[in-house]
Amino acid sequence: MSAWHRNHDTAGKTHAPSSAAVRIIASTVATALVFGCFTAIHRYARTGGDERADVTVRVARQNVQLLAPDLDTSTSINAAAVQPLLDAYAQSAGVGTTYSIAVMDAQGNVIAGHEPDTAREPASTTKTLTAFAAASALDLYSTLDTQVYVTGAADAKGAATIVLKGNGDVLLGTGANDASHINGRAGIATLVQRTVTALAAQGIASVTLEYDDSLFGSKRLPDGIEQTDEDYIYEMPASSMAIDMDRQWGGVTNPNPDHIMNYPTKTDTPALNVATEFASQLAAAGVTVSNADAPASVQTPSDATMIASVQSAPLWEVMRFMLKNSSNTLAEEFGRLVAIKTGAENSPEGAVKAVTQIVQDAGIKTDGLSLRDCSGLTLGTRISATTLADVQRHLVLLQQEDSAPVMEGELLAGVDRPHAPYDHSIYGSMMTKTGTQDNVRSLCGTIVTKDGGVVFFAIVCVDMGDWSAAGAANDVFASGLAML
């Protein structure tokens, strides 16, 4: 069975909700947009087609600030007004009967719904749990550095051994550092230049290259993922480093590095591929690499000396990339980083346990929760609509506590999704995340309603009669909530 985890970035015009509602101002070098919230609704084309609008990348921490961080809990939500939306959804063509809906108020009460506590296959809305856990456990302003170490001293001929060590950056570029993008923020060409300079300072002209891919241990993929990830199309094995998430383009140009629009196959040796590219560029820069075609895999010696490094985008930007593009690879990596940080087992199972524990410890309602992975790509995960809605509520609460823009990945209506079927008056008032497989259409999010109240919602529809119609029904329901 194939899995459709392809995000579609979409968006809209700004809309000014109640002054006490959640608002975020994100300013960039060229533009400043006032966001009531963000809307992320990705549409998946079963033919493999995709259309996108460019989204400006936030490039620095100082360009983001939070305003009016308190939720407006004084405006009551009219629960009775939700019932017609539920009735209309039930009558929507193609929806069927196996679906769950939860509509939650700012206090965490489910005020309306349909089988809200029934756990069903959620697909990529699973990533919201991983995002919450990562934002709770990790320093979102930290980076994932790719480093070069020298082990020991150069010999009489000016030769030495160097180790290329990865620390989780799977969005490396082959060129120079690219400050304008998340994917390619750290570039191999820049790392080579810095390495050449450092080697020359030590009189080293010849090296033996080794690489350290030990970060994520021996188990790199969740059990059962092969059912939905043939040729690693949708997720590569967890790796300490990779170029463009190891997508093998075969000479085809990637039109926008920050948008996943195509799904070329990947390999099971992403770190080795980085080391080989590094060796090739190092040799081209005039350094003799004795084993350029076959770098050896090692663990970096404790007494090795770091001589060069490049930094990824900060984790909040990487999370933004993950959510906007619904990247299974990065969702799983965030889960693994959470496992390492919290002392859980360094494995896919450890990542699932760590994410689950953080979600439960936060007081999020988790009846029926069962994760198979951290992305939703592996079949068998079960999450209730109540849990998904409550995660949205807690993401907003976390946003208020931390200056890191943890919800940057959920897209703005009208800018990120210009063709979404929403009334322009609600643009900017919705922030959502979808999940999609052949038999799943799910949607969860946060909405600032027309009168300034806040609701959190989730829809998980499975085994529907019409895949496209079910997705449209989800959109219509969300639009209706925003107009309350």
Side-chain angles (χ1 to χ4, degrees), residues 302-356:
S302 59
D303 59 351
T305 302
M306 189 178 73
I307 60 170
S309 67
V310 287
Q311 296 180 324
S312 72
L315 287 183
W316 71 265
E317 288 193 77
V318 179
M319 182 182 290
R320 179 178 184 268
F321 182 101
M322 182 272 281
L323 288 171
K324 280 185 180 291
N325 291 288
S326 203
S327 170
N328 301 300
T329 292
L330 285 171
E332 192 63 31
E333 175 165 322
F334 270 115
R336 297 296 294 271
L337 291 173
V338 169
I340 293 171
K341 177 69 174 182
T342 60
E345 181 181 89
N346 187 6
S347 68
E349 295 77 16
V352 162
K353 290 180 180 178
V355 169
T356 300

Side-chain angles (χ1 to χ4, degrees), residues 13-298:
K13 301 176 181 177
T14 59
H15 168 66
S18 166
S19 62
V22 177
R23 292 181 297 174
I24 299 173
I25 288 184
S27 60
T28 65
V29 173
T31 62
L33 296 175
V34 180
F35 297 167
C37 282
F38 300 100
T39 299
I41 300 179
H42 15 172
R43 185 173 295 281
Y44 297 76
R46 296 177 73 84
T47 61
D50 204 357
E51 54 183 272
R52 293 174 180 273
D54 286 344
V55 180
T56 304
V57 175
R58 282 71 168 164
V59 296
R61 174 178 181 176
Q62 57 266 33
N63 286 336
V64 179
Q65 58 179 323
L66 303 181
L67 297 180
D70 294 327
L71 287 173
D72 181 2
T73 59
S74 62
T75 302
S76 61
I77 305 301
N78 186 352
V82 180
Q83 191 57 49
L85 300 178
L86 293 169
D87 294 341
Y89 187 88
Q91 297 301 315
S92 299
V95 165
T97 60
T98 50
Y99 66 88
S100 299
I101 298 177
V103 179
M104 181 176 288
D105 65 17
Q107 290 76 35
N109 304 307
V110 175
I111 60 172
H114 173 81
E115 299 183 6
D117 297 324
T118 299
R120 305 185 191 276
E121 186 90 49
S124 283
T125 48
T126 302
K127 294 180 176 70
T128 61
L129 278 69
T130 303
F132 175 78
S136 299
L138 305 176
D139 175 5
L140 293 188
Y141 292 115
S142 65
T143 58
L144 305 172
D145 296 358
T146 305
Q147 304 162 323
V148 178
Y149 287 82
V150 169
T151 65
D155 63 18
K157 297 181 180 180
T161 297
I162 62 173
V163 180
L164 176 66
K165 182 179 181 180
N167 288 288
D169 189 357
V170 297
L171 298 175
L172 289 165
T174 57
N177 288 356
D178 182 359
S180 65
H181 291 98
I182 299 169
N183 188 7
R185 181 69 57 86
I188 291 176
T190 297
L191 185 59
V192 166
Q193 179 185 35
R194 293 173 179 176
T195 301
V196 169
T197 300
L199 291 174
Q202 296 186 29
I204 299 172
S206 176
V207 299
T208 297
L209 176 63
E210 299 172 334
Y211 70 98
D212 185 344
D213 184 36
S214 61
L215 178 63
F216 294 124
S218 59
K219 189 170 184 180
R220 304 301 179 95
L221 287 166
D223 291 335
I225 199 171
E226 65 278 358
Q227 297 178 64
T228 51
D229 193 33
E230 185 178 359
D231 295 327
Y232 308 123
I233 289 176
Y234 299 113
E235 182 178 328
M236 73 173 200
S239 179
S240 65
M241 52 186 161
I243 298 166
D244 186 31
M245 294 189 295
D246 202 48
R247 289 185 288 175
Q248 304 300 302
W249 289 96
V252 177
T253 301
N254 183 8
N256 187 327
D258 285 343
H259 289 170
I260 297 179
M261 299 177 67
N262 297 296
Y263 294 82
T265 59
K266 305 174 183 68
T267 73
D268 59 1
T269 58
L272 173 60
N273 298 344
V274 175
T276 301
E277 175 66 22
F278 180 76
S280 175
Q281 291 195 30
L282 203 58
V287 176
T288 299
V289 183
S290 64
N291 61 336
D293 294 331
S297 178
V298 301

